[in-house]
Amino acid sequence: MAEFLDRLVNARDSRTGWVKETASSILSLKTRFEAGDITESKYVEGLDALKSGDGEVGAGGSLEERAIIDNGILNLKNLL
């Protein structure tokens, strides 16, 4: 598994708050897309909606957590 996916899975399984919920949502979108439940455009739209905003770290989040999420999203989009 790619490093960015490992970080998302780890964030979902071991972190709390914003990063845990966001990582879980990203991985759920990935699963739904791979299963054919959603189109590529809906997948990308969903990923884009989960990116942290400029200067935003999420509730109780850190810059490291923001990097986990944003890098994961970028790399998943690059796999398309």
Side-chain angles (χ1 to χ4, degrees), residues 16-19 56-62 65:
T16 60
W18 171 84
V19 72
E56 178 184 326
V57 295
S62 68
E65 291 173 337

Side-chain angles (χ1 to χ4, degrees), residues 7-67:
R7 288 179 185 225
L8 285 172
V9 169
N10 184 43
R12 178 197 63 198
D13 294 343
S14 65
R15 304 247 182 168
T16 60
W18 171 84
V19 72
K20 178 182 183 82
E21 294 299 321
T22 307
S24 180
S25 295
I26 290 168
L27 293 168
S28 175
L29 275 171
K30 179 182 178 299
T31 300
R32 291 177 59 211
F33 173 66
E34 289 173 344
D37 295 338
I38 58 174
T39 64
E40 183 176 322
S41 65
K42 288 292 182 186
Y43 177 52
V44 171
E45 182 180 312
L47 291 174
D48 285 339
L50 293 169
K51 285 191 299 191
S52 63
D54 290 338
E56 178 184 326
V57 295
S62 68
L63 292 177
E64 176 190 3
E65 291 173 337
R66 178 181 170 186

